[in-house]
Amino acid sequence: MIFENLTVDTNELPKTSELSFEPLERKYLTVSLLADALFFVPLLIGSACLIFFNDNIATVWTNFVYLCGGILLLWSSAILITYKGFFKKKYALRSRDVIYKKGLFWQSRISIPFNRVQHAEIKQGPIDRMYSLYSLKIYTAGGHSSDLVIPGLAEDKAQGLKEFILKKTAEDAPRIK
Amino acid sequence: MHPVLSKYGQPSRQSRVAIGIVLVKFIKTSIRAAWPILLGLLIGRKNSDNFTQYLLIAVLVFAAFNLIGSIMTFFRFYFSLDESSILIDKGILKRTKINIPFERIQTVNLQQNLLHQMFGVASIEIDTAGANKSELTIDALKKEEAEAIRQFILEEKKQIQSQQDPLSRGLESENESEIEEKTLLQLSFNDLLKIGFSQNHLKSMVLLFAFAFSIINEISSTLGDDLVEEQLSGFEAYFLNSGWAMALGALILVFIISFIYSMISTILVNFELKMSIQGKGFKLFKGLINREEISINTSKVQILSWSDNPVRRLFRMHTIILAQAGSTEANQQHTKIKIPGAYLKQIKQIAWLIFPKPFVRKEQKHRVSKVLMYRIILVAGFIPSLIAAGVGYYFLDAKALFFLLWLPFLIFGTVLYYKKRSYEINDELLKNNKGVFGNHREMVQLYKVQAVKISQSWYQRRKKLANIHLYTAAGAIKIPFITLEKAEALENFVLYKVESNDVNWM
């Protein structure tokens, strides 16, 4: 046993690490890549304009290569990270909690028991709308550090998850005040 | 009908003192916003008499405007109570009605600043742990009435909850029998001096410096930098010429000022501090100018923590904090009980009241991995000091080698930190031990955790290490760099404790 003074053998408990996790919708990868582009394209255009219109910077092709090349390099690494990171984002439901894991270099796994959930809602951003994707937001009490967002869900899935969690939250609510 | 209900069933106004209190609030905030401008105007053109007159008129108009504003605010502020909720109707231009059901209320605290004390009134602060629009303040009510209202809200809330679930009724009635109040902790003036003496004076020094800089900044931004620079430049030259002795003298002076500052602020904030327990509720009174009364139900305490520093350890005193759920991070300041001078015996007594008594005991200390120590020394010590020294030496001169002194200092601190870093666990409680020069301990009952997170950097993954975060409604407890096996065992065990528990946690 790992912790000898506990009355429960932790090896006998259900393990979150051995769950089978579900991936997010594939369309969410496109959404994330679009969000990347939405950041980098204006940056690229802006810097090109800067070189072109600013009199103090010579409008020569080397300057374009240095600045825009740098940005393109950053963009391509962002694309790589977004792509690789997408496959790390997964969620799982158990009978009494919801678990979400993510992260490429810094991996994390957060578990929220249903009897500690305050509220759950589904949200949709502007890019999400184009691909009819939703994200599920789960709120806990006091501050926002332990709130959880599961992005990239199809509508029926998001709605179903939300209803399931709210139903479970009501069922599991503490009986002794 | 309950006397409180018959009195406040209809929409009622606050005590008339509220006009004054709102006025003071207005003036305070406006002075805070506008003083540099006023000062700038005064200094900038003190010669023209005409101008002073205008200024006077402007100030008078402003004051009159404020007065009218406060009076209108007062007349447009109604509150009323019924059996299950409190209703507030307020606002001049933007009218708002707020209705808070009693069962959503987390805390009801009374506060008295100097003005309140002079007129024998108190303000009531009501906080819910929910999201928006959760804080509600009634600025002034007669002290006894404020207390009666608070009593009423708390009683009704209890009743509503026991009606909702008959299971807990037996428990409640059991509590009624032991309503006598018991003092847990009291601070004498002597204690206050000890606490003030052992306060973190460096912190007050930083605070004072920040304050001074912000003032200089404000003034220079309104007066223009030249004037301030002119005033200060002589000062600087004076410093440089007079050499080390003067600098040392100045340092000592600054230290003395910080010392006096922390001494006075300690005494003002904690004057006549008294903590007591009545039934299942803690009560705390404290303060000289700002008299505060905070109450927390024992079952609502999420994290109990206590800490000391090397000086305070001489007096065997600790600072103890009882944290409960707050609606926002900022609000948590209001809902915390913080006592700077508790002895271990008293801490134990308080812990027994909050947690199941047999589980408050010493357990085997589990250490964190040594890798954490090496990591901190490498990332915060070696790399920055070598880079700073190298770059400094290359571009400046040999004096840059002083940067290397950071390294032994950091190693010393990190070794101390590593030696103290550990955690203890049993079936009900988790205790986190940390600190560098002082000791800091945190205690949480496992079923109060509301989310568990395991995180690993790519580096930790290679060494099979992980961090674990236990989130409660009043903040997180973190244990870094333990073996993945232990982290996962903790994760699964805490989840099991939370999910198999049926007791309300906040």
Side-chain angles (χ1 to χ4, degrees):
Chain A
M1 266 174 85
I2 298 168
F3 296 108
E4 273 151 15
N5 58 338
L6 301 183
T7 50
V8 179
D9 184 354
T10 49
N11 282 323
E12 310 273 305
L13 292 170
K15 291 183 179 61
T16 43
S17 52
E18 287 169 8
L19 281 171
S20 64
F21 283 83
E22 284 197 47
L24 306 178
E25 289 289 321
R26 191 59 191 246
K27 280 185 291 184
Y28 181 66
L29 178 58
T30 323
V31 171
S32 316
L33 289 173
L34 270 178
D36 279 355
L38 224 54
F39 176 77
F40 280 103
V41 169
L43 198 68
L44 211 57
I45 295 172
S47 53
C49 286
L50 186 76
I51 298 174
F52 196 76
F53 292 112
N54 194 323
D55 294 339
N56 295 328
I57 304 171
T59 313
V60 283
W61 66 274
T62 44
N63 275 339
F64 282 108
V65 168
Y66 286 142
L67 192 60
C68 298
I71 292 169
L72 280 174
L73 204 68
L74 279 178
W75 189 2
S76 47
S77 53
I79 288 174
L80 194 69
I81 290 171
T82 307
Y83 181 80
K84 286 263 184 189
F86 170 78
F87 297 99
K88 298 284 178 187
K89 288 180 181 157
K90 286 170 172 184
Y91 68 93
L93 280 184
R94 294 194 293 186
S95 62
R96 281 168 182 276
D97 50 24
V98 50
I99 301 151
Y100 178 63
K101 64 177 186 181
K102 64 169 183 191
L104 189 62
F105 298 112
W106 282 271
Q107 295 187 343
S108 70
R109 175 171 71 225
I110 183 159
S111 322
I112 301 185
F114 295 134
N115 59 355
R116 295 289 178 268
V117 172
Q118 291 288 312
H119 182 57
E121 64 183 27
I122 53 177
K123 286 190 162 180
Q124 195 177 39
I127 310 177
D128 288 338
R129 199 164 301 137
M130 285 160 43
Y131 289 85
S132 54
L133 284 178
Y134 292 82
S135 53
L136 175 71
K137 188 153 191 208
I138 300 167
Y139 294 91
T140 55
H144 301 291
S145 47
S146 55
D147 292 349
L148 175 63
V149 181
I150 304 180
L153 300 166
E155 182 174 7
D156 51 338
K157 198 122 201 183
Q159 199 67 40
L161 274 175
K162 184 191 126 190
E163 270 155 30
F164 177 76
I165 288 174
L166 288 179
K167 194 183 104 215
K168 279 292 195 177
T169 301
E171 272 174 18
D172 290 358
R175 270 186 279 279
I176 301 163
K177 300 271 174 176
Chain B
M1 196 152 52
H2 197 286
V4 171
L5 257 191
S6 55
K7 186 153 189 196
Y8 293 107
Q10 295 303 314
S12 1
R13 295 209 174 98
Q14 311 171 72
S15 158
R16 250 173 236 119
V17 184
I19 301 178
I21 285 163
V22 173
L23 185 65
V24 169
K25 241 193 217 171
F26 264 141
I27 293 177
K28 246 191 201 164
T29 44
S30 20
I31 287 181
R32 202 170 294 157
W35 72 266
I37 300 170
L38 288 177
L39 192 76
L41 290 173
L42 273 175
I43 295 176
R45 307 183 218 170
K46 56 184 150 197
N47 297 328
S48 75
D49 283 323
N50 230 352
F51 177 74
T52 350
Q53 248 172 18
Y54 282 133
L55 193 69
L56 196 69
I57 292 169
V59 167
L60 280 178
V61 168
F62 180 69
F65 186 74
N66 265 341
L67 184 65
I68 294 167
S70 336
I71 293 172
M72 279 167 74
T73 314
F74 168 78
F75 282 107
R76 268 292 307 150
F77 185 102
Y78 295 98
F79 70 97
S80 59
L81 293 160
D82 59 35
E83 279 101 356
S84 61
S85 63
I86 179 165
L87 195 109
I88 284 194
D89 181 6
K90 65 168 182 183
I92 307 166
L93 295 175
K94 189 182 146 205
R95 304 196 161 189
T96 29
K97 278 189 180 175
I98 310 170
N99 182 17
I100 299 189
F102 289 155
E103 70 258 33
R104 273 193 36 226
I105 292 176
Q106 279 285 319
T107 51
V108 187
N109 293 330
L110 300 188
Q111 275 227 36
Q112 284 186 293
N113 64 26
L114 200 60
L115 212 64
H116 284 109
Q117 286 181 57
M118 273 158 57
F119 289 99
V121 293
S123 74
I124 307 182
E125 277 176 12
I126 293 171
D127 188 44
T128 65
N132 309 326
K133 287 261 168 81
S134 55
E135 223 196 15
L136 198 152
T137 312
I138 300 176
D139 280 309
L141 275 180
K142 281 213 184 80
K143 180 95 196 295
E144 313 84 65
E145 283 168 15
E147 264 165 9
I149 287 179
R150 185 172 76 149
Q151 198 68 26
F152 175 74
I153 292 177
L154 294 179
E155 270 167 22
E156 288 295 313
K157 185 188 164 200
K158 211 187 236 176
Q159 214 167 13
I160 291 167
Q161 280 178 345
S162 62
Q163 269 164 13
Q164 277 173 354
D165 64 311
L167 262 174
S168 65
R169 244 185 214 158
L171 287 167
E172 294 296 337
S173 59
E174 196 183 314
N175 301 334
E176 306 293 340
S177 60
E178 39 165 352
I179 32 174
E180 77 199 91
E181 200 173 319
K182 214 177 97 191
T183 305
L184 292 170
L185 200 156
Q186 223 164 352
L187 294 181
S188 66
F189 196 72
N190 202 0
D191 291 331
L192 285 180
L193 290 181
K194 282 184 194 169
I195 296 162
F197 181 79
S198 58
Q199 208 69 282
N200 190 348
H201 302 296
L202 280 177
K203 208 162 127 194
S204 346
M205 215 189 285
V206 171
L207 274 179
L208 282 174
F209 268 121
F211 182 64
F213 274 120
S214 79
I215 285 180
I216 291 175
N217 205 12
E218 292 264 345
I219 294 175
S220 62
S221 67
T222 44
L223 292 188
D225 286 327
D226 305 344
L227 192 66
V228 177
E229 221 157 80
E230 204 177 287
Q231 300 288 329
L232 288 182
S233 59
F235 199 56
E236 196 178 297
Y238 180 68
F239 252 107
L240 287 178
N241 291 336
S242 46
W244 284 97
M246 264 321 282
L248 195 70
L251 199 70
I252 291 173
L253 189 73
V254 167
F255 185 78
I256 290 173
I257 293 174
S258 324
F259 182 85
I260 293 171
Y261 170 79
S262 43
M263 204 76 174
I264 290 175
S265 64
T266 304
I267 292 172
L268 288 184
V269 171
N270 298 301
F271 190 74
E272 281 188 347
L273 184 145
K274 186 184 151 195
M275 183 180 177
S276 60
I277 175 98
Q278 186 176 31
K280 286 217 169 278
F282 288 118
K283 260 191 196 165
L284 179 83
F285 296 89
K286 65 171 189 182
L288 185 66
I289 295 175
N290 237 328
R291 194 95 187 119
E292 258 182 291
E293 183 183 336
I294 302 173
S295 52
I296 298 189
N297 201 294
T298 50
S299 64
K300 297 220 157 149
V301 177
Q302 306 284 327
I303 300 176
L304 171 71
S305 60
W306 63 98
S307 54
D308 64 9
N309 62 41
V311 185
R312 197 159 286 175
R313 199 154 42 222
L314 295 178
F315 302 119
R316 298 180 190 285
M317 277 178 159
H318 302 260
T319 300
I320 172 169
I321 294 176
L322 279 67
Q324 66 172 338
S327 46
T328 58
E329 319 279 293
N331 261 341
Q332 283 178 13
Q333 285 304 326
H334 273 295
T335 48
K336 259 179 195 169
I337 284 189
K338 184 177 176 188
I339 304 159
Y343 297 101
L344 262 187
K345 212 178 83 192
Q346 292 164 328
I347 296 173
K348 212 179 225 175
Q349 224 179 348
I350 291 168
W352 284 343
L353 288 164
I354 299 172
F355 305 121
K357 197 168 165 181
F359 291 96
V360 182
R361 62 186 180 214
K362 277 212 164 64
E363 296 287 354
Q364 188 204 337
K365 282 189 176 169
H366 301 276
R367 307 290 298 271
V368 302
S369 165
K370 245 188 181 141
V371 175
L372 173 61
M373 187 167 66
Y374 302 142
R375 262 327 251 192
I376 296 176
I377 292 174
L378 180 72
V379 173
F382 263 108
I383 296 176
S385 66
L386 281 184
I387 289 177
V391 171
Y393 187 71
Y394 189 77
F395 287 107
L396 301 167
D397 57 10
K399 269 186 197 154
L401 294 179
F402 276 119
F403 280 119
L404 289 178
L405 285 177
W406 167 245
L407 192 59
F409 177 74
L410 184 103
I411 291 178
F412 178 65
T414 310
V415 169
L416 285 180
Y417 169 76
Y418 170 72
K419 278 190 172 163
K420 282 178 183 164
R421 197 73 183 84
S422 67
Y423 64 96
E424 298 164 45
I425 185 165
N426 61 34
D427 276 330
E428 288 296 330
L429 304 175
L430 182 112
K431 193 171 149 219
N432 212 359
N433 308 314
K434 53 189 182 185
V436 178
F437 297 107
N439 291 292
H440 185 86
R441 316 236 182 273
E442 299 164 331
M443 219 173 194
V444 65
Q445 193 164 3
L446 296 177
Y447 85 86
K448 299 215 166 178
V449 170
Q450 55 183 15
V452 182
K453 185 167 109 179
I454 294 234
S455 65
Q456 276 185 306
S457 67
W458 54 274
Y459 175 81
Q460 286 175 316
R461 214 154 43 241
R462 241 178 28 210
K463 302 244 170 196
K464 290 211 182 314
L465 294 170
N467 314 318
I468 184 164
H469 308 245
L470 304 175
Y471 296 96
T472 74
I477 287 200
K478 185 186 169 189
I479 308 171
F481 282 78
I482 53 178
T483 59
L484 183 64
E485 191 192 20
K486 274 189 172 173
E488 285 185 338
L490 273 175
E491 177 195 26
N492 295 324
F493 182 66
V494 172
L495 287 175
Y496 159 75
K497 287 306 275 190
V498 176
E499 287 159 18
S500 62
N501 194 290
D502 235 2
V503 182
N504 197 15
W505 81 105
M506 59 163 228

